[in-house]
Amino acid sequence: MPAKGYIEVNELYCKACELCVTDCPFDVLALDMTRLTSKGYHPAYMVNPDACTGCGICAVSCPDAAITVYRYERQRPEA
Amino acid sequence: MTVMTDIPAKIVYQRPEAFDPRVTHYCPGCTHGTAHRLVAEVLDEMGEVGNTIGVASVGCSVFAYNYFKFDFVEAAHGRAPAMATGVKRLLPERTVFTYQGDGDLASIGMGEIVGAASRGELLTVVFINNTNYGMTGGQMAPTTLPGQVTTSSPTGRDVARQGHPIQTAELLATLEGAAYVVRRSLHNVREVRRAKKAIRTAFETQKHKLGFSLVELLSTCPTNWRLSPAEARDWVEERMLPYFPLGDYKVTPAVAELKV
Ligand SMILES: Cc1ncc(C[n+]2csc(CCOP(=O)(O)OP(=O)(O)O)c2C)c(N)n1
Ligand code: SF4
Ligand code: SF4
Ligand code: SF4
Ligand SMILES: [Mg+2]
C-alpha cells in the first residue's frame, strides 16, 4: 500500500514518551535510538513510512504537540 | 523514501496557534501537556485567543502562563477561582479560565471552588485529577485512591484514618450555580477527543453566560506513579475509572441546547 500521508516530528518538543509509537494503528513510528535531540531524547520518527495513512492519531496522542500530520492530495503511484 | 515531495499534501494537524513556541517543563508523557494542547486547540477554534485570560494555580501547572499566547495571572495556592472571579467581574466580556490540579482545587482550594460554583461565576475550570501532589514529589491528595501508595502514604491510603477520595465533579454538580460539570479522561485517543469536546462545551457555557463550568480530567503522573507513560495511561483506565466514572454530572437544559 502506498502511503496516504506522512508526519513530521518537531524535535524541539519531542520528549520520547513513546505514546505516538504505541498508538499508531499502522506501526509507522519508532524512537530513533541512533540520535539524540538537543534535550537529550531519542526522537520519534517514521520507521515504516509507507504504512502511514495520515490519520492523525499520533498527533492526538502527543502530549507535547510535536507532530504535524500531512495527507497527500492524490494517490501516490505504486512503486 | 520518507516523503514524496512531488505530490501535494495538505496539513491535517499542526501545533495550535494559541501555543507559545516553547518546550514545556512537564515530564515526558505527562498528560498535563495533552490538557494544555486541548485548551489551545479549543480557543483557536473559537477565535478567542486574543480575548482570553488564564489563571494559573500552584502545582506542576504553575508555569502554565508560559505556554499560551494570551494573558495569564498566577494565583496563590488554591485561590485561582477567587482571582478569576475578580478578573471576570471586572472584564465580563473576556473569556476567563482557571487551570488547577487536584491538590490545588480539592485540598487547599476546596472552599474557593465551592464558592465560585455556588455563586454561578461565569468561569471555566480545567481540573487535572492525577491522584497526587505531583509538583512536590507525589504526596497523597484528596483524590488519592484507597490503598494507593504515595510518598506520604507509604503503606497505601487507609480510608479509616485518612478518609475517602473526593469525587469533585459529583460534589460540585450539586451546586445550583453550576451549569456544566463533567468528568473526562486523557488515557486514550478516543477519550482525548471527548475531553476536547467537553472543554469546548465548557467555554461555550461561559460565552453564552449560562453559569459555572468545569471539566475534570483524569490525567497521568508517570513520574510519581513510577510508571512509563504508556503504563500510566493503563493505570488511569484500570485504577482511576472505577472510582472516578466518566460522565456528565450537571448539564443544565440551556447548556444541553448548545451546538458544539
Ligand atoms: C500555601 C502553600 N501551601 C503548600 C504549598 C506546596 N505545594 C506546592 S504544589 C502543591 C500541590 C500540587 O498538587 P496538585 O494541585 O495536585 O498539582 P499537580 O502538581 O499534581 O499537577 C503543594 C501542596 C504551596 N506552594 N503553597
Ligand atoms: S498519521 Fe496515523 S498512520 Fe501516520 S504515523 Fe500518525 S498514527 Fe500512524
Ligand atoms: S508522542 Fe510526541 S513527545 Fe511522545 S514520542 Fe511521540 S512525538 Fe515525541
Ligand atoms: S511530576 Fe507528574 S504531574 Fe508533574 S509534570 Fe511530572 S508527570 Fe506531570
Ligand atoms: Mg495533582
Side-chain angles (χ1 to χ4, degrees), chain B residues 25-27 30-32 60 130 132 134-135 220-224:
Chain B
H25 69 291
Y26 296 116
C27 305
C30 172
T31 51
H32 260 303
C60 279
N130 61 10
N132 71 40
M135 182 195 196
T220 61
C221 179
T223 298
N224 288 303

Side-chain angles (χ1 to χ4, degrees), chain A residues 9 13-20 31 44 58 61-64 66-67:
Chain A
V9 175
Y13 304 118
C14 178
K15 295 175 184 162
C17 73
E18 237 176 335
L19 293 178
C20 58
L31 297 188
C58 52
S61 297
C62 180
D64 286 278
I67 297 177

Side-chain angles (χ1 to χ4, degrees), chain B residues 36-49:
Chain B
H36 279 33
R37 204 192 74 217
L38 297 184
V39 168
E41 289 178 10
V42 164
L43 293 173
D44 272 353
E45 287 165 19
M46 290 175 72
E48 281 293 314
V49 176

